[in-house]
Amino acid sequence: GEDVEQSLFLSVREGDSSVINCTYTDSSSTYLYWYKQEPGAGLQLLTYIFSNMDMKQDQRLTVLLNKKDKHLSLRIADTQTGDSAIYFCAESVQGGSYIPTFGRGTSLIVHP
Amino acid sequence: DVKVTQSSRYLVKRTGEKVFLECVQDMDHENMFWYRQDPGLGLRLIYFSYDVKMKEKGDIPEGYSVSREKKERFSLILESASTNQTSMYLCASSWDRGLGGANVLTFGAGSRLTVL
């Protein structure tokens, strides 16, 4: 079955880049997602990538996928205090269970 | 703007009480989900439903039940609340029918339940 791992905390200075990492275990055709949860709110989808892609960019966000190592990263350029949130990595398998499996979430703290 | 609405943001209940958490979506989505979120444990799936009157157990169904009488509404029921059910409960919905596309979930704002 799927298993998604991510570190629990990341602290960065405002203006720096943040890189949040995630590893997944399933080797099938897979969708990989990044969600953001601001304090007191539900999760919002930031972006997703299919496992036949290496990279996806959307404004300040860059997703990189290393299929060989089953490693996914989310890079936030020019990190702002408003980016402080919990970031969840998730995976769903094409042709298998379509229910996403979530990681435990990485709390990003941005210092002024 | 598409929405998943959870009727209660904060609830305080006593041990042994029956608790209903309501969730409504206005997107005509097929799938609905209930998760609980605890610090350090992330999101754990309690139950999900892929159609009206259909339900499937998730990873932690014990102590919970669900009801989906209408497509837009998915209720989570705690028959006899216990202190270890104090948590944040998140409802979500999605359109995907398992046909091979991405399964993007839309989440509600959450219901924080405290059981005393």
Side-chain angles (χ1 to χ4, degrees):
Chain A
E2 305 108 33
D3 193 17
V4 178
E5 299 284 341
Q6 48 183 135
S7 55
L8 292 182
F9 299 100
L10 177 65
S11 178
V12 300
R13 195 173 296 279
E14 190 174 18
D16 288 349
S17 292
S18 306
V19 180
I20 302 171
N21 296 302
C22 170
T23 57
Y24 61 100
T25 57
D26 205 282
S27 58
S28 307
S29 297
T30 294
Y31 283 94
L32 295 148
Y33 311 81
W34 284 106
Y35 286 83
K36 176 183 180 182
Q37 184 183 33
E38 295 182 353
L43 280 68
Q44 284 183 291
L45 179 76
L46 287 176
T47 188
Y48 67 89
I49 190 170
F50 187 55
S51 55
N52 67 353
M53 299 170 65
D54 296 321
M55 179 179 128
K56 184 175 182 181
Q57 189 156 4
D58 182 5
Q59 299 183 327
R60 291 190 298 121
L61 304 180
T62 303
V63 177
L64 292 176
L65 178 60
N66 180 328
K67 289 183 281 293
K68 174 175 170 288
D69 294 336
K70 297 191 181 71
H71 181 268
L72 180 76
S73 66
L74 174 69
R75 180 177 180 269
I76 306 172
D78 187 25
T79 312
Q80 302 298 307
T81 54
D83 294 322
S84 293
I86 303 175
Y87 291 81
F88 288 92
C89 174
E91 172 188 36
S92 66
V93 178
Q94 186 185 38
S97 167
Y98 61 94
I99 309 301
T101 298
F102 286 83
R104 296 187 178 194
T106 299
S107 289
L108 174 64
I109 300 165
V110 182
H111 297 285
Chain B
D1 196 17
V2 294
K3 274 193 177 169
V4 175
T5 303
Q6 294 183 232
S7 55
S8 303
R9 289 300 308 273
Y10 301 95
L11 301 96
V12 179
K13 298 291 181 180
R14 295 204 176 274
T15 301
E17 280 192 79
K18 191 169 186 175
V19 182
F20 293 88
L21 299 180
E22 305 286 345
C23 175
V24 176
Q25 51 97 0
D26 65 0
M27 296 166 282
D28 201 35
H29 280 173
E30 305 289 330
N31 307 315
M32 296 189 75
F33 308 83
W34 275 107
Y35 290 88
R36 67 176 278 178
Q37 181 180 12
D38 300 288
L41 297 179
L43 270 66
R44 292 181 290 168
L45 182 64
I46 304 171
Y47 269 97
F48 67 97
S49 167
Y50 55 88
D51 202 351
V52 175
K53 296 192 187 294
M54 304 304 291
K55 59 185 179 184
E56 295 284 344
K57 292 179 180 179
D59 300 317
I60 53 162
E62 295 79 19
Y64 304 94
S65 62
V66 290
S67 171
R68 193 162 180 207
E69 295 297 317
K70 293 185 178 181
K71 189 175 186 180
E72 67 271 17
R73 187 179 296 270
F74 193 36
S75 302
L76 180 69
I77 302 153
L78 288 67
E79 292 288 341
S80 177
S82 63
T83 54
N84 63 11
Q85 292 178 309
T86 291
S87 187
M88 169 72 92
Y89 290 89
L90 292 168
C91 176
S93 70
S94 74
W95 182 86
D96 178 68
R97 300 184 183 193
L99 298 178
N103 188 8
V104 175
L105 271 58
T106 301
F107 283 84
S111 297
R112 184 167 293 282
L113 172 66
T114 301
V115 183
L116 301 175

mmCIF file with all atom_site columns, all heavy atoms in Angstrom, chain B residues 59-79:
data_model
loop_
_atom_site.group_PDB
_atom_site.id
_atom_site.type_symbol
_atom_site.label_atom_id
_atom_site.label_alt_id
_atom_site.label_comp_id
_atom_site.label_asym_id
_atom_site.label_entity_id
_atom_site.label_seq_id
_atom_site.pdbx_PDB_ins_code
_atom_site.Cartn_x
_atom_site.Cartn_y
_atom_site.Cartn_z
_atom_site.occupancy
_atom_site.B_iso_or_equiv
_atom_site.pdbx_formal_charge
_atom_site.auth_seq_id
_atom_site.auth_comp_id
_atom_site.auth_asym_id
_atom_site.auth_atom_id
_atom_site.pdbx_PDB_model_num
ATOM 1   N N   . ASP B 1 59 ? -9.319  4.105  7.623  1.00 0.00 ? 59 ASP B N   1
ATOM 2   C CA  . ASP B 1 59 ? -8.272  3.506  8.451  1.00 0.00 ? 59 ASP B CA  1
ATOM 3   C C   . ASP B 1 59 ? -8.641  3.410  9.932  1.00 0.00 ? 59 ASP B C   1
ATOM 4   O O   . ASP B 1 59 ? -8.132  2.540  10.644 1.00 0.00 ? 59 ASP B O   1
ATOM 5   C CB  . ASP B 1 59 ? -6.971  4.321  8.305  1.00 0.00 ? 59 ASP B CB  1
ATOM 6   C CG  . ASP B 1 59 ? -6.484  4.352  6.878  1.00 0.00 ? 59 ASP B CG  1
ATOM 7   O OD1 . ASP B 1 59 ? -6.518  3.284  6.225  1.00 0.00 ? 59 ASP B OD1 1
ATOM 8   O OD2 . ASP B 1 59 ? -6.083  5.429  6.397  1.00 0.00 ? 59 ASP B OD2 1
ATOM 9   N N   . ILE B 1 60 ? -9.514  4.296  10.410 1.00 0.00 ? 60 ILE B N   1
ATOM 10  C CA  . ILE B 1 60 ? -9.834  4.339  11.844 1.00 0.00 ? 60 ILE B CA  1
ATOM 11  C C   . ILE B 1 60 ? -11.345 4.492  12.050 1.00 0.00 ? 60 ILE B C   1
ATOM 12  O O   . ILE B 1 60 ? -11.815 5.442  12.651 1.00 0.00 ? 60 ILE B O   1
ATOM 13  C CB  . ILE B 1 60 ? -9.069  5.477  12.570 1.00 0.00 ? 60 ILE B CB  1
ATOM 14  C CG1 . ILE B 1 60 ? -9.286  6.824  11.864 1.00 0.00 ? 60 ILE B CG1 1
ATOM 15  C CG2 . ILE B 1 60 ? -7.578  5.171  12.659 1.00 0.00 ? 60 ILE B CG2 1
ATOM 16  C CD1 . ILE B 1 60 ? -8.942  8.007  12.732 1.00 0.00 ? 60 ILE B CD1 1
ATOM 17  N N   . PRO B 1 61 ? -12.177 3.523  11.634 1.00 0.00 ? 61 PRO B N   1
ATOM 18  C CA  . PRO B 1 61 ? -13.627 3.673  11.751 1.00 0.00 ? 61 PRO B CA  1
ATOM 19  C C   . PRO B 1 61 ? -14.204 3.395  13.130 1.00 0.00 ? 61 PRO B C   1
ATOM 20  O O   . PRO B 1 61 ? -15.367 3.733  13.398 1.00 0.00 ? 61 PRO B O   1
ATOM 21  C CB  . PRO B 1 61 ? -14.136 2.636  10.757 1.00 0.00 ? 61 PRO B CB  1
ATOM 22  C CG  . PRO B 1 61 ? -13.092 1.564  10.790 1.00 0.00 ? 61 PRO B CG  1
ATOM 23  C CD  . PRO B 1 61 ? -11.777 2.278  10.997 1.00 0.00 ? 61 PRO B CD  1
ATOM 24  N N   . GLU B 1 62 ? -13.412 2.794  14.008 1.00 0.00 ? 62 GLU B N   1
ATOM 25  C CA  . GLU B 1 62 ? -13.959 2.352  15.303 1.00 0.00 ? 62 GLU B CA  1
ATOM 26  C C   . GLU B 1 62 ? -14.464 3.548  16.105 1.00 0.00 ? 62 GLU B C   1
ATOM 27  O O   . GLU B 1 62 ? -13.760 4.542  16.284 1.00 0.00 ? 62 GLU B O   1
ATOM 28  C CB  . GLU B 1 62 ? -12.877 1.611  16.109 1.00 0.00 ? 62 GLU B CB  1
ATOM 29  C CG  . GLU B 1 62 ? -12.410 0.310  15.482 1.00 0.00 ? 62 GLU B CG  1
ATOM 30  C CD  . GLU B 1 62 ? -11.430 0.519  14.343 1.00 0.00 ? 62 GLU B CD  1
ATOM 31  O OE1 . GLU B 1 62 ? -10.826 1.624  14.257 1.00 0.00 ? 62 GLU B OE1 1
ATOM 32  O OE2 . GLU B 1 62 ? -11.268 -0.406 13.521 1.00 0.00 ? 62 GLU B OE2 1
ATOM 33  N N   . GLY B 1 63 ? -15.679 3.425  16.615 1.00 0.00 ? 63 GLY B N   1
ATOM 34  C CA  . GLY B 1 63 ? -16.281 4.474  17.420 1.00 0.00 ? 63 GLY B CA  1
ATOM 35  C C   . GLY B 1 63 ? -17.050 5.512  16.617 1.00 0.00 ? 63 GLY B C   1
ATOM 36  O O   . GLY B 1 63 ? -17.609 6.445  17.191 1.00 0.00 ? 63 GLY B O   1
ATOM 37  N N   . TYR B 1 64 ? -17.087 5.323  15.289 1.00 0.00 ? 64 TYR B N   1
ATOM 38  C CA  . TYR B 1 64 ? -17.762 6.269  14.402 1.00 0.00 ? 64 TYR B CA  1
ATOM 39  C C   . TYR B 1 64 ? -18.736 5.537  13.479 1.00 0.00 ? 64 TYR B C   1
ATOM 40  O O   . TYR B 1 64 ? -18.551 4.365  13.186 1.00 0.00 ? 64 TYR B O   1
ATOM 41  C CB  . TYR B 1 64 ? -16.744 7.018  13.532 1.00 0.00 ? 64 TYR B CB  1
ATOM 42  C CG  . TYR B 1 64 ? -15.669 7.759  14.276 1.00 0.00 ? 64 TYR B CG  1
ATOM 43  C CD1 . TYR B 1 64 ? -14.433 7.160  14.522 1.00 0.00 ? 64 TYR B CD1 1
ATOM 44  C CD2 . TYR B 1 64 ? -15.878 9.058  14.712 1.00 0.00 ? 64 TYR B CD2 1
ATOM 45  C CE1 . TYR B 1 64 ? -13.440 7.840  15.198 1.00 0.00 ? 64 TYR B CE1 1
ATOM 46  C CE2 . TYR B 1 64 ? -14.877 9.751  15.384 1.00 0.00 ? 64 TYR B CE2 1
ATOM 47  C CZ  . TYR B 1 64 ? -13.660 9.124  15.631 1.00 0.00 ? 64 TYR B CZ  1
ATOM 48  O OH  . TYR B 1 64 ? -12.672 9.803  16.298 1.00 0.00 ? 64 TYR B OH  1
ATOM 49  N N   . SER B 1 65 ? -19.735 6.260  13.023 1.00 0.00 ? 65 SER B N   1
ATOM 50  C CA  . SER B 1 65 ? -20.558 5.791  11.920 1.00 0.00 ? 65 SER B CA  1
ATOM 51  C C   . SER B 1 65 ? -20.853 6.990  11.031 1.00 0.00 ? 65 SER B C   1
ATOM 52  O O   . SER B 1 65 ? -20.559 8.128  11.398 1.00 0.00 ? 65 SER B O   1
ATOM 53  C CB  . SER B 1 65 ? -21.855 5.135  12.421 1.00 0.00 ? 65 SER B CB  1
ATOM 54  O OG  . SER B 1 65 ? -22.638 6.073  13.134 1.00 0.00 ? 65 SER B OG  1
ATOM 55  N N   . VAL B 1 66 ? -21.414 6.720  9.855  1.00 0.00 ? 66 VAL B N   1
ATOM 56  C CA  . VAL B 1 66 ? -21.704 7.804  8.907  1.00 0.00 ? 66 VAL B CA  1
ATOM 57  C C   . VAL B 1 66 ? -23.063 7.570  8.271  1.00 0.00 ? 66 VAL B C   1
ATOM 58  O O   . VAL B 1 66 ? -23.624 6.472  8.307  1.00 0.00 ? 66 VAL B O   1
ATOM 59  C CB  . VAL B 1 66 ? -20.630 7.926  7.795  1.00 0.00 ? 66 VAL B CB  1
ATOM 60  C CG1 . VAL B 1 66 ? -19.319 8.441  8.340  1.00 0.00 ? 66 VAL B CG1 1
ATOM 61  C CG2 . VAL B 1 66 ? -20.449 6.600  7.071  1.00 0.00 ? 66 VAL B CG2 1
ATOM 62  N N   . SER B 1 67 ? -23.565 8.641  7.678  1.00 0.00 ? 67 SER B N   1
ATOM 63  C CA  . SER B 1 67 ? -24.838 8.573  6.967  1.00 0.00 ? 67 SER B CA  1
ATOM 64  C C   . SER B 1 67 ? -24.756 9.450  5.739  1.00 0.00 ? 67 SER B C   1
ATOM 65  O O   . SER B 1 67 ? -24.301 10.598 5.818  1.00 0.00 ? 67 SER B O   1
ATOM 66  C CB  . SER B 1 67 ? -25.966 9.062  7.879  1.00 0.00 ? 67 SER B CB  1
ATOM 67  O OG  . SER B 1 67 ? -27.170 9.194  7.166  1.00 0.00 ? 67 SER B OG  1
ATOM 68  N N   . ARG B 1 68 ? -25.223 8.903  4.613  1.00 0.00 ? 68 ARG B N   1
ATOM 69  C CA  . ARG B 1 68 ? -25.301 9.705  3.391  1.00 0.00 ? 68 ARG B CA  1
ATOM 70  C C   . ARG B 1 68 ? -26.629 9.396  2.705  1.00 0.00 ? 68 ARG B C   1
ATOM 71  O O   . ARG B 1 68 ? -26.741 8.551  1.848  1.00 0.00 ? 68 ARG B O   1
ATOM 72  C CB  . ARG B 1 68 ? -24.133 9.427  2.449  1.00 0.00 ? 68 ARG B CB  1
ATOM 73  C CG  . ARG B 1 68 ? -24.070 10.490 1.344  1.00 0.00 ? 68 ARG B CG  1
ATOM 74  C CD  . ARG B 1 68 ? -22.753 10.517 0.678  1.00 0.00 ? 68 ARG B CD  1
ATOM 75  N NE  . ARG B 1 68 ? -22.698 11.518 -0.363 1.00 0.00 ? 68 ARG B NE  1
ATOM 76  C CZ  . ARG B 1 68 ? -21.909 11.438 -1.413 1.00 0.00 ? 68 ARG B CZ  1
ATOM 77  N NH1 . ARG B 1 68 ? -21.106 10.391 -1.556 1.00 0.00 ? 68 ARG B NH1 1
ATOM 78  N NH2 . ARG B 1 68 ? -21.901 12.396 -2.309 1.00 0.00 ? 68 ARG B NH2 1
ATOM 79  N N   . GLU B 1 69 ? -27.651 10.148 3.137  1.00 0.00 ? 69 GLU B N   1
ATOM 80  C CA  . GLU B 1 69 ? -28.992 9.983  2.596  1.00 0.00 ? 69 GLU B CA  1
ATOM 81  C C   . GLU B 1 69 ? -29.200 10.809 1.328  1.00 0.00 ? 69 GLU B C   1
ATOM 82  O O   . GLU B 1 69 ? -30.047 10.473 0.489  1.00 0.00 ? 69 GLU B O   1
ATOM 83  C CB  . GLU B 1 69 ? -30.032 10.373 3.650  1.00 0.00 ? 69 GLU B CB  1
ATOM 84  C CG  . GLU B 1 69 ? -30.028 9.460  4.871  1.00 0.00 ? 69 GLU B CG  1
ATOM 85  C CD  . GLU B 1 69 ? -30.403 8.030  4.519  1.00 0.00 ? 69 GLU B CD  1
ATOM 86  O OE1 . GLU B 1 69 ? -31.344 7.838  3.731  1.00 0.00 ? 69 GLU B OE1 1
ATOM 87  O OE2 . GLU B 1 69 ? -29.730 7.097  5.017  1.00 0.00 ? 69 GLU B OE2 1
ATOM 88  N N   . LYS B 1 70 ? -28.450 11.893 1.206  1.00 0.00 ? 70 LYS B N   1
ATOM 89  C CA  . LYS B 1 70 ? -28.512 12.736 0.014  1.00 0.00 ? 70 LYS B CA  1
ATOM 90  C C   . LYS B 1 70 ? -27.098 12.959 -0.501 1.00 0.00 ? 70 LYS B C   1
ATOM 91  O O   . LYS B 1 70 ? -26.139 12.928 0.273  1.00 0.00 ? 70 LYS B O   1
ATOM 92  C CB  . LYS B 1 70 ? -29.164 14.084 0.342  1.00 0.00 ? 70 LYS B CB  1
ATOM 93  C CG  . LYS B 1 70 ? -30.625 13.985 0.709  1.00 0.00 ? 70 LYS B CG  1
ATOM 94  C CD  . LYS B 1 70 ? -31.229 15.361 0.897  1.00 0.00 ? 70 LYS B CD  1
ATOM 95  C CE  . LYS B 1 70 ? -32.702 15.235 1.220  1.00 0.00 ? 70 LYS B CE  1
ATOM 96  N NZ  . LYS B 1 70 ? -33.340 16.570 1.384  1.00 0.00 ? 70 LYS B NZ  1
ATOM 97  N N   . LYS B 1 71 ? -27.003 13.202 -1.793 1.00 0.00 ? 71 LYS B N   1
ATOM 98  C CA  . LYS B 1 71 ? -25.683 13.307 -2.422 1.00 0.00 ? 71 LYS B CA  1
ATOM 99  C C   . LYS B 1 71 ? -24.848 14.411 -1.801 1.00 0.00 ? 71 LYS B C   1
ATOM 100 O O   . LYS B 1 71 ? -23.630 14.285 -1.662 1.00 0.00 ? 71 LYS B O   1
ATOM 101 C CB  . LYS B 1 71 ? -25.855 13.559 -3.912 1.00 0.00 ? 71 LYS B CB  1
ATOM 102 C CG  . LYS B 1 71 ? -24.566 13.462 -4.712 1.00 0.00 ? 71 LYS B CG  1
ATOM 103 C CD  . LYS B 1 71 ? -24.846 13.608 -6.195 1.00 0.00 ? 71 LYS B CD  1
ATOM 104 C CE  . LYS B 1 71 ? -23.601 13.375 -7.019 1.00 0.00 ? 71 LYS B CE  1
ATOM 105 N NZ  . LYS B 1 71 ? -23.876 13.511 -8.471 1.00 0.00 ? 71 LYS B NZ  1
ATOM 106 N N   . GLU B 1 72 ? -25.479 15.512 -1.428 1.00 0.00 ? 72 GLU B N   1
ATOM 107 C CA  . GLU B 1 72 ? -24.724 16.669 -0.981 1.00 0.00 ? 72 GLU B CA  1
ATOM 108 C C   . GLU B 1 72 ? -24.356 16.625 0.498  1.00 0.00 ? 72 GLU B C   1
ATOM 109 O O   . GLU B 1 72 ? -23.587 17.464 0.951  1.00 0.00 ? 72 GLU B O   1
ATOM 110 C CB  . GLU B 1 72 ? -25.506 17.955 -1.279 1.00 0.00 ? 72 GLU B CB  1
ATOM 111 C CG  . GLU B 1 72 ? -26.785 18.127 -0.482 1.00 0.00 ? 72 GLU B CG  1
ATOM 112 C CD  . GLU B 1 72 ? -28.008 17.511 -1.166 1.00 0.00 ? 72 GLU B CD  1
ATOM 113 O OE1 . GLU B 1 72 ? -27.825 16.679 -2.092 1.00 0.00 ? 72 GLU B OE1 1
ATOM 114 O OE2 . GLU B 1 72 ? -29.136 17.875 -0.772 1.00 0.00 ? 72 GLU B OE2 1
ATOM 115 N N   . ARG B 1 73 ? -24.875 15.687 1.252  1.00 0.00 ? 73 ARG B N   1
ATOM 116 C CA  . ARG B 1 73 ? -24.727 15.714 2.700  1.00 0.00 ? 73 ARG B CA  1
ATOM 117 C C   . ARG B 1 73 ? -24.104 14.421 3.216  1.00 0.00 ? 73 ARG B C   1
ATOM 118 O O   . ARG B 1 73 ? -24.558 13.321 2.877  1.00 0.00 ? 73 ARG B O   1
ATOM 119 C CB  . ARG B 1 73 ? -26.088 15.934 3.347  1.00 0.00 ? 73 ARG B CB  1
ATOM 120 C CG  . ARG B 1 73 ? -26.052 16.149 4.850  1.00 0.00 ? 73 ARG B CG  1
ATOM 121 C CD  . ARG B 1 73 ? -27.473 16.383 5.364  1.00 0.00 ? 73 ARG B CD  1
ATOM 122 N NE  . ARG B 1 73 ? -28.040 17.603 4.812  1.00 0.00 ? 73 ARG B NE  1
ATOM 123 C CZ  . ARG B 1 73 ? -27.937 18.806 5.364  1.00 0.00 ? 73 ARG B CZ  1
ATOM 124 N NH1 . ARG B 1 73 ? -27.283 18.947 6.507  1.00 0.00 ? 73 ARG B NH1 1
ATOM 125 N NH2 . ARG B 1 73 ? -28.492 19.845 4.792  1.00 0.00 ? 73 ARG B NH2 1
ATOM 126 N N   . PHE B 1 74 ? -23.093 14.569 4.070  1.00 0.00 ? 74 PHE B N   1
ATOM 127 C CA  . PHE B 1 74 ? -22.402 13.410 4.643  1.00 0.00 ? 74 PHE B CA  1
ATOM 128 C C   . PHE B 1 74 ? -22.206 13.694 6.121  1.00 0.00 ? 74 PHE B C   1
ATOM 129 O O   . PHE B 1 74 ? -21.547 14.667 6.483  1.00 0.00 ? 74 PHE B O   1
ATOM 130 C CB  . PHE B 1 74 ? -21.060 13.209 3.935  1.00 0.00 ? 74 PHE B CB  1
ATOM 131 C CG  . PHE B 1 74 ? -20.369 11.898 4.194  1.00 0.00 ? 74 PHE B CG  1
ATOM 132 C CD1 . PHE B 1 74 ? -21.079 10.721 4.356  1.00 0.00 ? 74 PHE B CD1 1
ATOM 133 C CD2 . PHE B 1 74 ? -18.985 11.834 4.229  1.00 0.00 ? 74 PHE B CD2 1
ATOM 134 C CE1 . PHE B 1 74 ? -20.434 9.507  4.550  1.00 0.00 ? 74 PHE B CE1 1
ATOM 135 C CE2 . PHE B 1 74 ? -18.320 10.628 4.432  1.00 0.00 ? 74 PHE B CE2 1
ATOM 136 C CZ  . PHE B 1 74 ? -19.043 9.461  4.591  1.00 0.00 ? 74 PHE B CZ  1
ATOM 137 N N   . SER B 1 75 ? -22.805 12.871 6.957  1.00 0.00 ? 75 SER B N   1
ATOM 138 C CA  . SER B 1 75 ? -22.785 13.108 8.395  1.00 0.00 ? 75 SER B CA  1
ATOM 139 C C   . SER B 1 75 ? -21.887 12.099 9.090  1.00 0.00 ? 75 SER B C   1
ATOM 140 O O   . SER B 1 75 ? -21.887 10.907 8.749  1.00 0.00 ? 75 SER B O   1
ATOM 141 C CB  . SER B 1 75 ? -24.203 12.982 8.958  1.00 0.00 ? 75 SER B CB  1
ATOM 142 O OG  . SER B 1 75 ? -25.061 13.894 8.326  1.00 0.00 ? 75 SER B OG  1
ATOM 143 N N   . LEU B 1 76 ? -21.158 12.583 10.063 1.00 0.00 ? 76 LEU B N   1
ATOM 144 C CA  . LEU B 1 76 ? -20.326 11.726 10.914 1.00 0.00 ? 76 LEU B CA  1
ATOM 145 C C   . LEU B 1 76 ? -20.991 11.657 12.286 1.00 0.00 ? 76 LEU B C   1
ATOM 146 O O   . LEU B 1 76 ? -21.362 12.691 12.844 1.00 0.00 ? 76 LEU B O   1
ATOM 147 C CB  . LEU B 1 76 ? -18.911 12.297 11.035 1.00 0.00 ? 76 LEU B CB  1
ATOM 148 C CG  . LEU B 1 76 ? -17.930 11.509 11.898 1.00 0.00 ? 76 LEU B CG  1
ATOM 149 C CD1 . LEU B 1 76 ? -17.569 10.182 11.222 1.00 0.00 ? 76 LEU B CD1 1
ATOM 150 C CD2 . LEU B 1 76 ? -16.664 12.321 12.157 1.00 0.00 ? 76 LEU B CD2 1
ATOM 151 N N   . ILE B 1 77 ? -21.128 10.447 12.808 1.00 0.00 ? 77 ILE B N   1
ATOM 152 C CA  . ILE B 1 77 ? -21.835 10.242 14.062 1.00 0.00 ? 77 ILE B CA  1
ATOM 153 C C   . ILE B 1 77 ? -20.906 9.553  15.060 1.00 0.00 ? 77 ILE B C   1
ATOM 154 O O   . ILE B 1 77 ? -20.276 8.530  14.734 1.00 0.00 ? 77 ILE B O   1
ATOM 155 C CB  . ILE B 1 77 ? -23.085 9.372  13.838 1.00 0.00 ? 77 ILE B CB  1
ATOM 156 C CG1 . ILE B 1 77 ? -23.992 10.040 12.798 1.00 0.00 ? 77 ILE B CG1 1
ATOM 157 C CG2 . ILE B 1 77 ? -23.844 9.159  15.156 1.00 0.00 ? 77 ILE B CG2 1
ATOM 158 C CD1 . ILE B 1 77 ? -24.865 9.094  12.039 1.00 0.00 ? 77 ILE B CD1 1
ATOM 159 N N   . LEU B 1 78 ? -20.840 10.135 16.247 1.00 0.00 ? 78 LEU B N   1
ATOM 160 C CA  . LEU B 1 78 ? -20.153 9.496  17.362 1.00 0.00 ? 78 LEU B CA  1
ATOM 161 C C   . LEU B 1 78 ? -21.260 9.013  18.302 1.00 0.00 ? 78 LEU B C   1
ATOM 162 O O   . LEU B 1 78 ? -21.940 9.832  18.929 1.00 0.00 ? 78 LEU B O   1
ATOM 163 C CB  . LEU B 1 78 ? -19.226 10.478 18.089 1.00 0.00 ? 78 LEU B CB  1
ATOM 164 C CG  . LEU B 1 78 ? -17.945 10.917 17.375 1.00 0.00 ? 78 LEU B CG  1
ATOM 165 C CD1 . LEU B 1 78 ? -18.220 11.774 16.135 1.00 0.00 ? 78 LEU B CD1 1
ATOM 166 C CD2 . LEU B 1 78 ? -17.040 11.670 18.342 1.00 0.00 ? 78 LEU B CD2 1
ATOM 167 N N   . GLU B 1 79 ? -21.479 7.714  18.353 1.00 0.00 ? 79 GLU B N   1
ATOM 168 C CA  . GLU B 1 79 ? -22.612 7.179  19.107 1.00 0.00 ? 79 GLU B CA  1
ATOM 169 C C   . GLU B 1 79 ? -22.496 7.474  20.592 1.00 0.00 ? 79 GLU B C   1
ATOM 170 O O   . GLU B 1 79 ? -23.474 7.769  21.262 1.00 0.00 ? 79 GLU B O   1
ATOM 171 C CB  . GLU B 1 79 ? -22.716 5.670  18.882 1.00 0.00 ? 79 GLU B CB  1
ATOM 172 C CG  . GLU B 1 79 ? -23.113 5.282  17.467 1.00 0.00 ? 79 GLU B CG  1
ATOM 173 C CD  . GLU B 1 79 ? -24.565 5.592  17.146 1.00 0.00 ? 79 GLU B CD  1
ATOM 174 O OE1 . GLU B 1 79 ? -25.369 5.771  18.092 1.00 0.00 ? 79 GLU B OE1 1
ATOM 175 O OE2 . GLU B 1 79 ? -24.907 5.684  15.950 1.00 0.00 ? 79 GLU B OE2 1
#
